[in-house]
Amino acid sequence: MGSRVRVYELARELGLENTELIELLNEEGLEVKSHSSSIEEDIADLIREHVIAERQEERARVEERLVADVSEDEEDEDLDEGETDKEIHLKPPVVVRDLAEALGKKPNELIGQLMTMNVFASINQVVDLPIVEQLCERNGFRFVRERRKAKAKTAPAPKAAEPQGARPVVAGNVPRPPVVAFMGHVDHGKTSLQDAVRNTKVTAGEAGGITQHIGASVITHEGKQITFIDTPGHEAFTAMRARGANSTDIAIIVVAADDGVMPQTIEAIKHAKAAGVPMIVAINKMDLPGANPDKVLLGLQRCEVHTEDWGGDVGVVRVSAQTGEGLDDLLERILLESEMMELKCDPAAACEALVIEAQLEQGMGPTANILVQNGTLKVGDIVLCGQLYGKVKAMIDCQGKRVKSAGPSCPVKLLGLSGVAEAGARLQTMSDEREAKRIAEERAHEARQGELGLTRSSTLEDLFQKMQDESMLEIKIILKTDVRGSIEAIVDSLQKIKSEKIRVNIVHSSVGEISENDVLLAAASGAILVGFHVRVMPNINRIAKAKGVEIRLYTIIYELLSDIEDAMRGKLAPELRETPLGEASILQIFNVTKTGKICGCMVNGGLMRVGAAARVYRESELIYKGHISSLRRFQDDVKEVRSGLECGIKLDNFEDFEVDDRIEAFDVQKLAAQL
C-alpha cells in the first residue's frame, strides 16, 4: 500500500479549513469522517491539482478586476499605482491574526470588516484566499500569495534564528509541548489508558523514557512531545484550580463505552469547564461486547458537551486500553488540539513552575515534583516557592536521570528546597538568595499570624458581614442530595427566587454524600456546601474547616430555602432610614470633673433622647456625627428632654463644643434589603 496523508495535514497545506476539505472529498465520492482520517497519496495529488486550478482561475478573475478598476480611475492613477505598489506576501493558510498584523490592523477591526462581508471568523480562523484579496484591496494593499517554491526566500524562519547569545528567544514565541490530564469516573480506565500509551511507546522504541518517578511523564509521538500529569482524575485538577494554578492545557475525559456518563464524569466535565480547559473525550473499553458509544454521546449531549460526531466541536476518540485500538488517534488529536491552541513559551525567561507533589525522601531530604511552565530551570538557580526557598542542588527527569536544566512543559524532581512544599504551590527563580530568604520568611510569618485565615471563609455568617461589598452579586451553592428528585425540586425552588440585585448560582449539584471533591470545588469557587438528607464524614468536616468552607445540612426544604434567602439578603447592603427627633442649640459649656465637657442646651423643637444619633453643625457646616451619650435636667439623669426645656447633653467621644453650635437628633433604622 502506498503512503497516506492525513486530512488536516492536506487542509493545512492547501490553506483550507478541515470542513471544507472534507466536503470536497465527499463531493469527489470519497467518504471521510473527520480531519484525522487519512487518504491515499495519489488522491491527495488529485485534490491538490483541483484546488490549485480553482485558485488560478480565481486569481485570473481578480487580476482582471484590478485592471478594470485601474482603467476606470485614470484621474487617480498616481494614487492607485502607489496603493498597488504596497504588497503583502503571505503563505496559505492565512489566519485572521496574521493578516491583521500584516495590514497593521487590530484583529477585532479585521473581524468587523469580515462581518460586513458576511464572513464570521475568529482570531485563529483561516480566511479563504479570495476574501484575503478583497480585504487587502479594501485596505490599500495587493495580496501576493507566497508560493511553496518561494518558501526559503520569504518565510519568516530566518527571524527565529536572528537573535544570538544572551537573548536567543523572542518572548512567548517558541512552541511548547502540551500538558494533558486524564479525568473521569472511577474504573473507567484513566490509569490503564495512560499505562497503555506509555507501554505502546516504549515497545515502539520511541524516544522519551516513560516512568512514573516524578508524578508526571513525557512521551514522544511523531517527533512531538506530550506531557501527562500522572496525578489521577479530577481530584488533583480541582485542588490545583483551588490554589489558582492553571497547569493543564487539555483535559482527556475518559468514559467507559459499556457504562456511559456517570456522576464523576459529570464532575470532571464541570471542573474542566470551570477552569476553561479544552476537552477531548476518550470512549474507552471499545473492545467489550457491551460497548455502546452512542449511549456515551447521548450522555455527553445532556451535559452540554457538544461532540463532533453530533455537529459540535469537542473531539471524540474511540479507544481500548486492552487492545491498543485508537491510541495513535488519541495522541494525534492531542497534538492537533495543541497546534490549534498555539501553545507558546519563552525558554529564556525567568522560570515559573508548579509543584505537582512534594515529599521528604530518605537520603535526599525535601524533594518537589514540579512542572516547568515557562522559562528554563537550571542546577544552581535560586528558587522561591511559597514559604520556602533554596538553591537547586539537583534535578531528576522522567527517566530517572540527573539533568542540568529543564524547559517549559518539562516535569522534573527538584532537590534543594528548605522544606516540603505544598502541592499546587508556585515556584519561581530569583536573582538573589538573601532576597528569596527574606520573602519566604515574611510569607511564613504572615501565615503564622493568620493561622487558618489564609483561605477566606464562605460561611453564611461571613456573607452577612460582607453586606457592603458591592461586587458580590451572586451566592454560589454546591448542592448534594439523597435522590435526583430532590435536586430537581430544590433547584426549581431556588430558581423561583426572583431578584434584580442578586442571584443564586448553583455551581454543582449531584446525588450522594458530600465528598472531598465537593469541598475543594467549594473552596475554589467560594461556594456554600448545601446537603439535603445526606451525611458528612468526620474527615470531610475536618477538611472543610481547614479550607474555610461552610457545610449546611437540611432535612426540610423550607428551612433550606429560608436560609438561602437570608444569605442573599445578607449580601445586599441594608437600607438606612432616618427619622428626625429634635433640634437643640448650645448656650453654655461646662467642665465637669471626671465627666468631661457637657454642653448646656435649649431644645428648640422635638426632643433629645439618650442613644439617639446626633449631628453637630457650626454655621451650617457638619463637624460631628455620633450619638447622644447622656442627658441631664438639673442634677438628674433623664432619658429624654422635650421642646422648650433646657438640659445638659454629653455626646459620645466629642467635646469640641462652641456656643451657638446646633445639635440635631434622629433615629436610624436598618431595614433588611429586599430581593
Side-chain angles (χ1 to χ4, degrees), residues 382-390 428-443:
I382 306 300
V383 293
L384 175 67
C385 182
Q387 303 171 32
L388 307 175
Y389 74 100
Q428 64 187 91
T429 54
M430 301 284 290
S431 58
D432 183 78
E433 186 171 2
R434 284 182 295 181
E435 179 68 8
K437 181 180 180 180
R438 183 188 65 80
I439 296 174
E441 290 176 346
E442 284 184 359
R443 291 176 177 177

Side-chain angles (χ1 to χ4, degrees), residues 284-528:
N284 194 23
K285 303 185 180 181
M286 287 297 296
D287 56 300
L288 296 181
N292 186 357
D294 289 336
K295 175 184 175 183
V296 175
L297 296 176
L298 178 60
L300 292 170
Q301 189 74 15
R302 289 173 176 170
C303 296
E304 297 184 354
V305 176
H306 306 296
T307 61
E308 290 179 346
D309 296 48
W310 287 15
D313 56 1
V314 177
V316 176
V317 184
R318 293 161 173 80
V319 297
S320 170
Q322 295 298 319
T323 66
E325 173 191 350
L327 296 184
D328 283 343
D329 291 336
L330 177 61
L331 296 176
E332 288 172 9
R333 182 62 195 232
I334 292 172
L335 292 176
L336 178 61
E337 289 287 344
S338 65
E339 182 179 333
M340 298 299 291
M341 293 169 69
E342 297 183 345
L343 302 173
K344 302 291 185 181
C345 66
D346 179 6
C351 178
E352 299 174 12
L354 178 78
V355 176
I356 302 172
E357 294 175 357
Q359 52 277 318
L360 187 65
E361 297 188 56
Q362 188 173 4
M364 292 186 179
T367 64
N369 304 335
I370 67 168
L371 175 69
V372 178
Q373 296 181 304
N374 197 35
T376 300
L377 185 64
K378 299 181 289 294
V379 172
D381 281 349
I382 306 300
V383 293
L384 175 67
C385 182
Q387 303 171 32
L388 307 175
Y389 74 100
K391 179 181 288 187
V392 180
K393 296 179 180 178
M395 290 187 291
I396 302 172
D397 68 5
C398 59
Q399 300 181 46
K401 299 178 180 178
R402 295 208 170 198
V403 294
K404 294 183 178 180
S405 64
S409 299
C410 179
V412 291
K413 175 179 288 186
L414 179 149
L415 286 73
L417 284 176
S418 57
V420 179
E422 291 186 8
R426 312 292 302 189
L427 181 143
Q428 64 187 91
T429 54
M430 301 284 290
S431 58
D432 183 78
E433 186 171 2
R434 284 182 295 181
E435 179 68 8
K437 181 180 180 180
R438 183 188 65 80
I439 296 174
E441 290 176 346
E442 284 184 359
R443 291 176 177 177
H445 177 71
E446 291 173 0
R448 287 191 297 269
Q449 292 293 108
E451 296 180 345
L452 297 178
L454 288 174
T455 303
R456 180 177 296 177
S457 299
S458 296
T459 65
L460 289 174
E461 288 76 15
D462 289 330
L463 293 174
F464 284 105
Q465 294 175 6
K466 297 172 184 174
M467 291 185 296
Q468 303 298 326
D469 190 348
E470 297 178 356
S471 65
M472 299 185 71
L473 300 177
E474 66 178 10
I475 180 170
K476 297 179 180 180
I477 293 173
I478 295 174
L479 177 64
K480 301 300 291 284
T481 69
D482 55 342
V483 294
R484 186 161 295 279
S486 297
I487 290 181
E488 296 173 357
I490 294 172
V491 170
D492 183 62
S493 299
L494 290 174
Q495 291 177 343
K496 288 179 180 177
I497 301 175
K498 300 298 182 183
S499 173
E500 296 180 356
K501 303 174 183 177
I502 188 171
R503 67 184 180 92
V504 176
N505 179 4
I506 301 175
V507 177
H508 171 65
S509 62
S510 63
V511 173
E513 66 182 39
I514 294 174
S515 66
E516 183 179 351
N517 292 330
D518 300 320
V519 175
L520 291 174
L521 184 57
S525 56
I528 300 171

Side-chain angles (χ1 to χ4, degrees), residues 151-152 154-175 344-348:
K151 179 178 180 181
T154 57
K159 291 184 179 179
E162 281 177 10
Q164 299 270 336
R167 293 183 175 270
V169 180
V170 178
N173 200 33
V174 176
K344 302 291 185 181
C345 66
D346 179 6

Side-chain angles (χ1 to χ4, degrees), residues 47 94 128 156-157 198 242 316 366 369 422 483 505 620 622 624 631:
I47 295 298
V94 179
D128 291 339
R198 296 185 184 103
V316 176
N369 304 335
E422 291 186 8
V483 294
N505 179 4
S620 301
L622 178 66
Y624 167 79
L631 291 172

